[in-house]
Amino acid sequence: MTVLVAYATTGGSTAEIAGWIAEELRGAALAVDVRPAAEVDDIDGYAAVVLGGAMYAAGWHRDARQFAHRFAGRPALPPVWLFSSGPLDSSADEAEVPPTPQALEAIRALHARGHVTFGGRLSTETRGWLGFIARRMDSEGHAGDFRNPDRVRAWARDIAAEIRAG
Ligand SMILES: Cc1cc2nc3c(=O)[nH]c(=O)nc-3n(C[C@H](O)[C@H](O)[C@H](O)COP(=O)(O)O)c2cc1C
């Protein structure tokens, strides 16, 4: 029983969330492949799929959207769970942050069993354009790490239980 955890990231923080999820699934005795969403061209044979994407400009990372498009309408889709990572404050921990319209489209296309929004991270140490933006946003108080590993891991354990229950 192998689970695919696919992620769409620019700054790396969503990839790290995917890693935390994978650790919990493995802790529940499931085999896990963790892969960038853009590199996945086949999901046949997976017992379940977890797809996560960062939020940018009120949208969902392109690699996550394209993943959903690639596999939408497949007759035998495995059970799918989605997550988004974005808010650069504690809002995601305080109340449910609804999916962006693009993530909502993916929920429908993949018949996802669940979706959750986790807080994000914007690091001023990131190289390139993202780091430039982060440093600019830092002066407005938006940079930082608002991810909550305990919440991510608890969500992953719930998924593991659902997968194992069939
Ligand atoms: C240019 C830019 C636009 C962003 N837009 C949003 C947004 O619309 N909604 C949101 O919740 N977070 C937004 N964020 C925060 C990112 O989603 C957050 O930093 C996320 O953790 C990035 O994930 P990644 O490191 O995997 O790329 C934005 C960040 C940047 C730099």
Side-chain angles (χ1 to χ4, degrees):
M1 232 196 222
T2 304
V3 180
L4 171 67
V5 180
Y7 57 86
T9 184
T10 297
S13 65
T14 308
E16 215 176 343
I17 292 174
W20 298 337
I21 291 168
E23 278 175 20
E24 292 301 321
L25 298 177
R26 288 187 184 118
L30 293 162
V32 185
D33 288 346
V34 188
R35 302 179 60 194
E39 290 177 12
V40 178
D41 50 23
D42 186 7
I43 55 171
D44 288 347
Y46 283 113
V49 173
V50 179
L51 169 66
M55 292 158 70
Y56 281 100
W60 209 36
H61 198 290
R62 189 173 68 153
D63 293 351
R65 282 185 275 139
Q66 290 185 340
F67 182 105
H69 284 150
R70 265 199 305 289
F71 301 112
R74 290 275 174 109
L77 273 174
V80 174
W81 284 267
L82 305 180
F83 73 89
S84 302
S85 58
L88 297 171
D89 54 27
S90 58
S91 57
D93 280 347
E94 285 160 8
E96 195 180 317
V97 176
T100 63
Q102 292 173 347
L104 193 59
E105 217 174 286
I107 291 170
R108 294 194 179 121
L110 300 175
H111 308 294
R113 300 210 177 174
H115 169 275
V116 66
T117 302
F118 297 124
R121 180 199 67 189
L122 185 63
S123 170
T124 53
E125 278 152 39
T126 310
R127 288 198 203 150
W129 69 269
L130 198 53
F132 174 76
I133 290 174
R135 285 186 288 280
R136 220 178 52 190
M137 285 174 77
D138 192 35
S139 61
E140 297 158 17
H142 293 300
D145 193 346
F146 298 90
R147 296 170 303 167
N148 178 341
D150 290 343
R151 185 160 166 255
V152 172
R153 289 178 183 280
W155 184 72
R157 285 194 298 275
D158 286 349
I159 290 176
E162 279 196 56
I163 294 169
R164 296 191 65 79

